[in-house]
């Protein structure tokens, strides 16, 4: 049967469209959005840990108990539990831009309320209530910010930069904790100048709000940076949650890594109270907290680059969790000894180096093992698990403390409360972290679903940098000349042979990118004579007769 000119043209156009390579593009603005997220995440973490390094002075200034001061940190976990699902829905449904702008405004308003609350008031109860209200707004902002790193990395960064981008954005949170551990004791000092401390912490929230509101123009780039970014949010929100609940590997990660998040939260919030009873000063406690976070950032940077190159998510996570468990056990022992500054500081550094560095890798792994569920949903449920367990851990550890009748070495200024022994509490914390780490190492195993999906994508992928042309040498058949070496993604078959009819010999085909060349086509499979003269789709070149041998 003869093919008409229209059928030939339609067939050729269909072949060209099917074989056209996917074009991925990255934009310079991704680094600006990453910077804004880092400032916002860092400032929010500073607000969270403002009072923990100076818990005793804060209790004296606000005329509150230590339990009330601890609740200024604990409110972050309590608020996160009911609101985190809503925050993940916002990220996956309304987009990154709206979520970050709303989070930045809540963050700034909460910081401003805290500043108003610490100003002198005739009623101490009113001051504490206003500070708690501001802290609660900051806690709401955290739920909108904390899940954003995995979403930003997936939507704006190419495959070989995702883990690094996630690491940078995630580690800005502990960087804020580092600043809080340094600035709070330094600013408060011996004069108990809490209003100045609130003012210092309000400034970066204003900067983050300004940058987010003015600078973030869109939630997604015009052209996706990777195949998985094109299919982001392919699963509806509630359907995605159902899939996660049935995913055995994800559930193990949810519980075990959530326990690690809870242990780190308790460590950061209670470090000063644990050490002061053994005679260590607030300045030394702040130094230990700073070393814990600083070495964690260094470890995360090294691990993030390593995982980006090797994609060994499971191996890196299991090894680091093992060493983190050993460091937690060591801290439980040395923190109960007097005059062991070097040992305590060393153990805190190692705990941070191996423990904190796992966080961004585990967040990426949660996406890999749950793809195609939305990134914010998979990372968000892990965070919720960590917050729920953190509340349980905080209540449990505080409940296990014992009042000391005599504490001659204590440097705690507890506002009338007796000094507390944390010996049993830190041993229980170490035991729980070791238990869940061991379970994760023994039973967690998963496929990297997102990487597998990307590796099975169409051939001829091209990654372009903003204003700089292609990053990979792959030509677009419409704009850059003939596409001659495109491979079939399943069988690695050259382009020419993909046009071959079943068992009928290869056709000869030469088509330049502007359709201005000569197309040589063999007879159809029914051997019913030559195809008559026919012009190509632009009517700019003859279709030469060619008889089938």
């Amino acid at each position: 049967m003869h093919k008409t000119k229209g059928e030939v043209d339609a067939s050729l156009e269909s072949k060209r469209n099917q074989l056209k390579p996917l074009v991925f593009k990255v934009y310079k603005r991704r680094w600006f959005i990453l910077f804004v997220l880092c400032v916002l995440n860092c400032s929010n973490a500073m607000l969270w840990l403002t009072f923990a390094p100076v818990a005793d002075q804060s209790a004296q200034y606000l005329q509150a108990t230590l339990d009330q001061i601890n609740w200024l940190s604990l409110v972050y976990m309590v608020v996160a539990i009911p609101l985190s699902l809503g925050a993940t829905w916002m990220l996956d449904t309304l987009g990154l831009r709206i979520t970050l702008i709303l989070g930045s405004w809540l963050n700034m308003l909460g910081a401003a309320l805290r500043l108003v609350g610490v100003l002198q008031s005739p009623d101490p109860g009113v001051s504490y209530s206003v500070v708690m209200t501001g802290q609660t707004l900051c806690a709401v902002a955290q739920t909108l910010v904390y899940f954003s790193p995995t979403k930003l990395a997936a939507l704006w960064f190419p495959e070989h930069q995702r883990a690094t981008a996630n690491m940078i954005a995630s580690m800005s949170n502990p960087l804020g904790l580092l600043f809080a551990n340094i600035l709070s004791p330094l600013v408060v000092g011996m004069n108990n100048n809490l209003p100045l401390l609130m003012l210092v912490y309000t400034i970066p929230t204003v900067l983050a709000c300004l940058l987010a509101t003015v600078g973030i123009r869109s939630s997604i780039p015009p052209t996706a940076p990777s195949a998985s970014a094109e299919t982001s949010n392919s699963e509806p929100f509630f359907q995605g949650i159902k899939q996660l609940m049935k995913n055995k590997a994800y559930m193990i990660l949810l519980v075990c890594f959530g326990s690690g998040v809870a242990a780190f939260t308790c460590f950061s919030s209670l470090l000063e109270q644990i050490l002061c009873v053994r005679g260590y000063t607030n300045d030394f406690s702040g130094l230990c907290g700073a070393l814990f976070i600083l070495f964690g950032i260094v470890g995360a940077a090294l691990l993030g680059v390593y995982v980006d190159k090797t994609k060994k998510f499971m191996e890196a996570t299991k090894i680091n969790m093992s060493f983190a468990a050993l460091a937690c056990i060591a801290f439980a022992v040395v923190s109960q000894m007097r005059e062991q500054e070097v040992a305590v500081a060393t153990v805190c550094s190692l705990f941070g180096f191996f423990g904190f560095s796992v966080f961004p890798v585990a967040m990426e792994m949660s996406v890999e093992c749950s793809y195609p569920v939305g990134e914010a949903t998979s990372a968000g449920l892990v965070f919720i698990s960590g917050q729920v367990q953190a509340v349980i851990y905080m209540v449990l550890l505080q409940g296990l403390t014992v009042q000391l009748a005599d504490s001659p070495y204590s440097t705690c200024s507890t506002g009338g409360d007796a000094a507390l022994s944390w010996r049993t509490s830190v041993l229980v914390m170490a035991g729980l972290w070791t238990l869940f780490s061991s379970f994760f190492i023994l039973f967690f195993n998963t496929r990297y679903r997102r990487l597998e999906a990307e590796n099975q994508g169409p051939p001829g992928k091209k990654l372009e940098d903003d204003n700089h042309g292609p990053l990979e040498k792959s030509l677009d058949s419409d704009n850059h000349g003939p596409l001659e070496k495109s491979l079939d993604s399943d069988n690695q078959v050259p382009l020419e042979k993909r046009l071959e009819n079943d068992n009928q010999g290869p056709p000869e085909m030469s088509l330049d990118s502007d359709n201005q060349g000569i197309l040589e086509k063999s007879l159809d499979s029914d051997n019913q004579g030559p195809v008559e003269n026919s012009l190509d789709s632009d009517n700019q070149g003859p279709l030469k007769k060619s008889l089938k041998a």
Side-chain angles (χ1 to χ4, degrees):
M1 181 178 181
H2 291 290
K3 293 183 179 179
T4 66
K5 173 185 175 294
E7 291 175 334
V8 172
D9 291 343
S11 176
L12 292 174
E13 188 65 23
S14 176
K15 293 290 185 182
R16 279 166 47 81
N17 290 335
Q18 290 175 6
L19 297 176
K20 182 179 177 180
L22 293 177
V23 178
F24 301 138
K25 191 172 183 179
V26 292
Y27 299 84
K28 288 182 178 179
R29 78 185 85 161
R30 71 189 188 277
W31 298 110
F32 172 77
I33 300 174
L34 178 62
F35 173 73
V36 174
L37 177 56
C38 287
V39 175
L40 181 56
N41 207 355
C42 181
S43 65
N44 185 263
M46 292 166 65
L47 299 178
W48 169 43
L49 208 66
T50 298
F51 303 99
V54 287
D56 42 2
Q57 292 102 320
S58 300
Q60 285 184 332
Y61 188 92
L62 296 173
Q63 299 184 32
T65 65
L66 273 180
D67 283 343
Q68 288 178 306
I69 297 302
N70 287 337
W71 271 99
L72 292 174
S73 298
L74 195 60
V75 68
Y76 266 61
M77 301 86 171
V78 174
V79 168
I81 294 170
L83 296 186
S84 290
L85 278 180
T88 59
W89 175 85
M90 282 191 65
L91 268 173
D92 282 338
T93 306
L94 301 182
L96 193 65
R97 179 176 181 269
I98 294 177
T99 304
L100 289 183
I101 291 176
L102 178 60
S104 67
W105 276 94
L106 289 173
N107 198 50
M108 183 180 68
L109 291 175
L113 269 179
R114 297 186 338 153
L115 177 60
V116 172
V118 297
L119 298 177
Q120 293 295 335
S121 170
D123 186 356
V126 172
S127 294
Y128 178 81
S129 298
V130 174
V131 171
M132 175 59 82
T133 302
Q135 197 76 351
T136 302
L137 286 179
C138 298
V140 175
Q142 185 205 30
T143 63
L144 301 176
V145 174
Y146 207 75
F147 314 134
S148 299
T150 52
K151 193 70 174 178
L152 174 63
L155 292 179
W156 285 86
F157 286 83
E159 179 268 337
H160 64 280
Q161 292 180 348
R162 278 198 302 250
T164 301
N166 197 350
M167 177 272 298
I168 294 173
S170 298
M171 287 300 101
S172 62
N173 186 274
L175 184 63
L177 304 183
L178 171 64
F179 289 149
N181 274 290
I182 296 174
L183 290 177
S184 290
L186 186 65
V187 174
V188 170
M190 298 301 296
N191 297 325
N192 211 6
N193 197 346
L194 211 59
L196 178 60
L197 183 66
M198 298 299 103
L199 178 61
V200 169
Y201 285 154
T202 302
I203 295 173
T205 67
V206 177
L207 174 63
C209 185
L210 178 64
L211 291 175
T213 304
V214 176
I216 301 179
R217 303 288 183 86
S218 62
S219 295
I220 60 175
T223 303
S226 65
S228 61
E230 289 189 316
T231 59
S232 182
N233 305 335
S234 59
E235 291 294 331
F237 179 72
F238 291 105
Q239 183 63 31
I241 292 180
K242 291 180 181 178
Q243 288 190 18
L244 293 178
M245 295 299 103
K246 298 176 182 178
N247 188 327
K248 178 182 176 182
Y250 179 83
M251 294 305 297
I252 294 175
L253 179 66
L254 179 81
V255 175
C256 295
F257 186 70
S259 175
V261 172
F264 297 147
T265 300
C266 293
F267 181 89
S268 300
S269 301
L270 302 174
L271 180 61
E272 184 264 346
Q273 298 173 52
I274 293 172
L275 294 180
C276 72
V277 73
R278 295 299 170 186
Y280 298 105
T281 64
N282 281 353
D283 288 340
F284 177 74
S285 299
L287 174 63
C288 289
L291 290 173
F292 170 69
I293 297 163
L294 180 62
F295 276 83
I297 294 173
V298 172
L302 296 175
L303 196 63
V305 173
Y306 172 77
V307 169
D308 248 343
K309 292 182 178 180
T310 65
K311 308 303 179 188
K312 294 183 178 180
F313 295 95
M314 280 193 297
E315 295 85 347
T317 303
K318 289 183 177 183
I319 291 173
N320 276 42
M321 287 182 73
S322 301
F323 284 111
L326 293 175
C328 189
I329 294 171
F331 173 78
V333 175
V334 299
S335 64
Q336 301 306 305
M337 300 178 182
R338 293 190 62 253
E339 299 179 354
Q340 297 294 325
E341 285 84 356
V342 174
V344 173
T346 300
V347 169
C348 290
S349 302
L350 292 175
F351 192 27
F353 184 84
F354 293 111
F356 253 126
S357 59
V358 174
F359 183 81
V361 177
M363 291 294 101
E364 280 292 297
M365 191 160 59
S366 71
V367 177
E368 291 292 343
C369 73
S370 61
Y371 184 84
V373 176
E375 297 85 4
T377 303
S378 55
L381 290 183
V382 174
F383 172 79
I384 294 172
S385 171
Q387 299 307 294
V388 171
Q389 294 185 64
V391 173
I392 297 173
Y393 279 29
M394 286 280 283
V395 173
L396 174 64
L397 297 183
Q398 290 185 81
L400 292 174
T401 58
V402 178
Q403 290 189 352
L404 297 176
D406 184 25
S407 53
Y409 306 110
S410 174
T411 58
C412 304
S413 301
T414 55
D417 293 340
L420 301 174
S421 171
W422 293 84
R423 182 188 300 273
T424 303
S425 300
V426 292
L427 289 173
V428 169
M429 181 179 70
L432 289 172
W433 175 234
T434 303
L435 174 65
F436 284 106
S437 296
S438 301
F439 189 86
F440 179 86
I441 293 166
L442 292 174
F443 298 106
F444 181 81
N445 189 48
T446 186
R447 292 162 40 213
Y448 301 149
R449 299 171 186 266
R450 181 170 61 176
L451 289 176
E452 289 177 359
E454 290 177 339
N455 291 335
Q456 293 172 1
K461 292 186 295 183
K462 182 177 67 173
L463 180 63
E464 290 184 350
D465 196 4
D466 194 19
N467 300 324
H468 289 286
L471 296 181
E472 297 177 3
K473 295 181 179 179
S474 175
L475 296 178
D476 181 341
S477 60
D478 287 335
N479 303 315
H480 298 287
L483 179 65
E484 297 174 353
K485 294 184 179 180
S486 179
L487 298 180
D488 184 295
S489 61
D490 294 324
N491 302 312
Q492 302 293 307
V493 180
L495 171 64
E496 290 79 7
K497 292 189 178 181
R498 292 180 65 181
L499 300 177
E500 181 179 351
N501 291 327
D502 292 339
N503 302 319
Q504 294 177 5
E508 296 177 356
M509 181 177 180
S510 176
L511 180 64
D512 94 1
S513 60
D514 296 320
N515 293 329
Q516 296 175 352
I518 297 173
L519 177 66
E520 296 182 356
K521 184 77 171 62
S522 63
L523 284 177
D524 72 1
S525 59
D526 295 323
N527 296 324
Q528 295 179 357
V531 179
E532 300 298 331
N533 287 346
S534 175
L535 296 179
D536 74 358
S537 59
D538 292 327
N539 295 324
Q540 296 174 347
L543 178 65
K544 290 190 174 181
K545 297 179 182 179
S546 176
L547 294 178
K548 183 174 180 181

